[in-house]
Amino acid sequence: MSSVARARHAVRQTVSGLPPAFWWLWTSTLVNRLGAFVATFMALYLTLDRGYSATYAGLVAALHGLGGVISSLGAGVMTDRLGRRPTLLVAQASTAVSVALLGFVHDPVAIAGVAFLVGMASNASRPAVQAMMADIVRPEDRIRAFSLNYWAINLGFAVSSMAAGFIAEYSYLAGFLIEAVMTMVCAVVVFVKLPESKPVRSSAEQAREESVGLGTVLRDGRFMGVVGLSFLVAVIFQQGSVGLPVAMGAAGFTPADYGLAIAVNGVLIVVLQIPVTRFIEHRDPGRLLVISSLLAGYGFGLTAFAGSVGVFALTVCVWTLAEIVNAPTQTGLVVRLSPVHGRGRYQGMYTMSWAVAALVAPLMSGAVIDRFGAEWLWGLCAVIGTGAGVGYAVLMRRLSTEATAATEEAVPTGKTATGKTATGKTQTGKAPGGERPDEERPTGKTPGGQTPGGQVPGGQVPGGSVGALEGKPEVGAS
């Protein structure tokens, strides 16, 4: 088979088997990212076009991020109560209106207020998108689906960043209006092509199952452990856009030098995301999360030894590989630990970890660089990455132990290893190919007696073989 034929076969395997609704959601994501302008050029717009200080630009950026933190939880609740489709429509329509408004306001207080609204609206769609993707894609295909969605995000961002630079030279207002139009197109696609995917429960099921509120999420120790580890990893990755440019500037490198180094990140993700996903989707997600955390930490740690643009670019290659592996695997783990009827709230809490990291990372990097120097920042990244790797190892080992114990409890004495009696009837606890028994969740049942770990990223038990809990592999992006 020729290399071209092998490439076609690989592409066909990567994109086949996913439902049409996924591709409309994917298209909506791509169009949305193609129109991205505000997040990329907000600081330049405020300082160069409007003439405000860097301090004011930082304040506006912080308010934009704060809006995202607040909306993460609210959008998660909306996703569960109102549904995925209504939440997406409200979020995208609100983003379109607020972005367009941002281009017309001139008063500094008004700009700050509208930027806060843009942050809220633009971040509100994420829990709904991730919950809808988990609803419509089979467990064994989720790793591919989340990876393809992450690939679309980065492809759109790479194209929009280049285009936005040329648009900004002509008119910043044009950039705001283009983003507003593109976002409204996404809302139209959702309205016309995407049906509601929220699982429907009968009255009997609703009476039998415990409700899921934000308090339930906060009391879920395993999931909050994932949120905390996600925050640590997110703080590391944020340094690519906050710590790295400051450190390179302080070392005498130009903005063009930074642009060249960071461009490697987008190019590698576009080129490698799909083939790397094919390589990792059947592998142990626990090991992937540990390895990606260490690669992220030490990839940034190596930046302390960079003295040229080429070496900076090499360090970007290291932590970009970590990003490619971590993003879908992490999202798949979140889906695994989320009860079906509480996916919105769980995804909202997970999204908030990244939003909070976007607020903390600039403060941390600025304080460390000003007081101790950039080398200490990169050393701190290595320490945080090591801590996150150890945390994932402990967490995934615990999940693996619980899964094994649940499987043993599901096979009563005298029954076959598949959980069937001599007559072929399955007992209350299912074999590794099905849902987990109720006993695995310490705090009680979730929908249908399923624990928040009902789905498995990569389709594996952490440290086990393919199909250990749901029968097949899977993955998941942010």
Side-chain angles (χ1 to χ4, degrees):
M1 183 183 292
S2 68
S3 58
V4 174
R6 285 196 298 269
R8 289 178 178 174
H9 178 69
V11 171
R12 190 178 301 112
Q13 282 191 320
T14 300
V15 302
S16 63
L18 296 171
F22 165 79
W23 289 111
W24 285 114
L25 189 60
W26 183 89
T27 301
S28 174
T29 298
L30 179 60
V31 171
N32 181 271
R33 298 307 297 174
L34 285 171
F37 183 86
V38 172
T40 306
F41 283 90
M42 173 66 81
L44 292 177
Y45 166 69
L46 293 175
T47 55
L48 298 182
D49 191 65
R50 292 297 182 192
Y52 292 112
S53 67
T55 301
Y56 174 76
L59 174 63
V60 172
L63 287 173
H64 182 275
L66 180 61
V69 172
I70 295 174
S71 69
S72 298
L73 298 180
V77 174
M78 287 179 61
T79 298
D80 285 337
R81 288 187 176 179
L82 302 181
R84 285 60 160 146
R85 186 168 176 262
T87 303
L88 272 175
L89 285 171
V90 170
Q92 291 175 340
S94 300
T95 301
V97 173
S98 57
V99 166
L101 179 61
L102 187 59
F104 289 100
V105 293
H106 299 106
D107 181 76
V109 176
I111 290 175
V114 176
F116 174 78
L117 295 178
V118 171
M120 287 190 66
S122 60
N123 205 54
S125 62
R126 294 182 183 180
V129 168
Q130 293 171 350
M132 178 175 280
M133 204 167 293
D135 294 338
I136 63 181
V137 176
R138 296 178 303 175
E140 62 267 28
D141 292 330
R142 287 194 187 121
I143 278 191
R144 277 194 301 134
F146 283 121
S147 292
L148 286 168
N149 189 66
Y150 191 66
W151 182 79
I153 290 172
N154 283 278
L155 176 62
F157 178 76
V159 174
S160 67
S161 295
M162 291 185 291
F166 293 103
I167 294 171
E169 291 184 0
Y170 170 73
S171 169
Y172 282 94
L173 177 60
F176 287 118
L177 295 179
I178 289 173
E179 177 168 351
V181 170
M182 298 285 273
T183 306
M184 192 59 74
V185 169
C186 295
V188 172
V189 169
V190 169
F191 180 77
V192 174
K193 293 295 184 179
L194 286 176
E196 175 56 56
S197 66
K198 179 183 176 183
V200 178
R201 295 181 293 158
S202 66
S203 300
E205 289 174 329
Q206 293 181 25
R208 184 173 65 253
E209 297 165 357
E210 294 182 3
S211 60
V212 176
L214 288 177
T216 308
V217 181
L218 292 172
R219 290 190 298 272
D220 190 335
R222 296 181 306 173
F223 182 77
M224 292 308 297
V226 172
V227 171
L229 293 172
S230 170
F231 168 76
L232 294 179
V233 174
V235 167
I236 297 175
F237 284 130
Q238 288 290 333
Q239 300 308 321
S241 59
V242 293
L244 185 59
V246 173
M248 289 185 69
F253 293 93
T254 67
D257 293 331
Y258 167 72
L260 183 62
I262 201 64
V264 174
N265 174 256
V267 171
L268 284 181
I269 289 176
V270 171
V271 173
L272 296 180
Q273 183 70 63
I274 292 176
V276 169
T277 296
R278 287 175 52 78
F279 177 75
I280 68 173
E281 65 177 336
H282 298 288
R283 300 182 185 273
D284 175 13
R287 291 180 182 176
L288 294 176
L289 290 170
V290 171
I291 292 172
S292 63
S293 299
L294 294 175
L295 277 177
Y298 287 94
F300 277 99
L302 290 173
T303 309
F305 304 99
S308 67
V309 175
V311 178
F312 276 112
L314 287 176
T315 65
V316 172
C317 290
V318 176
W319 57 260
T320 296
L321 182 60
E323 184 180 356
I324 291 172
V325 173
N326 180 271
T329 309
Q330 175 85 352
T331 308
L333 177 61
V334 171
V335 172
R336 172 189 172 181
L337 296 178
S338 307
V340 174
H341 66 290
R343 277 178 180 156
R345 290 174 172 85
Y346 274 72
Q347 292 287 356
M349 185 65 70
Y350 169 65
T351 300
M352 190 186 73
S353 68
W354 282 81
V356 173
L359 285 178
V360 172
L363 300 176
M364 182 187 83
S365 61
V368 173
I369 291 175
D370 286 343
R371 177 167 295 187
F372 303 106
E375 293 79 7
W376 283 86
L377 175 64
W378 309 131
L380 182 59
C381 285
V383 172
I384 294 173
T386 302
V390 172
Y392 277 122
V394 173
L395 176 68
M396 299 304 283
R397 185 179 295 111
R398 175 186 173 190
L399 292 179
S400 178
T401 302
E402 290 177 354
T404 302
T407 302
E408 291 174 352
E409 292 175 5
V411 185
T413 304
K415 305 298 185 295
T416 66
T418 58
K420 292 183 179 180
T421 64
T423 61
K425 293 182 180 180
T426 304
Q427 302 302 308
T428 55
K430 291 189 178 182
E435 298 174 353
R436 297 188 194 180
D438 301 340
E439 293 83 6
E440 184 179 349
R441 178 170 173 82
T443 55
K445 293 183 181 178
T446 57
Q450 195 178 31
T451 72
Q455 283 89 23
V456 186
Q460 300 174 331
V461 176
S465 59
V466 176
L469 284 183
E470 290 218 53
K472 290 207 127 182
E474 93 171 7
V475 170
S478 270

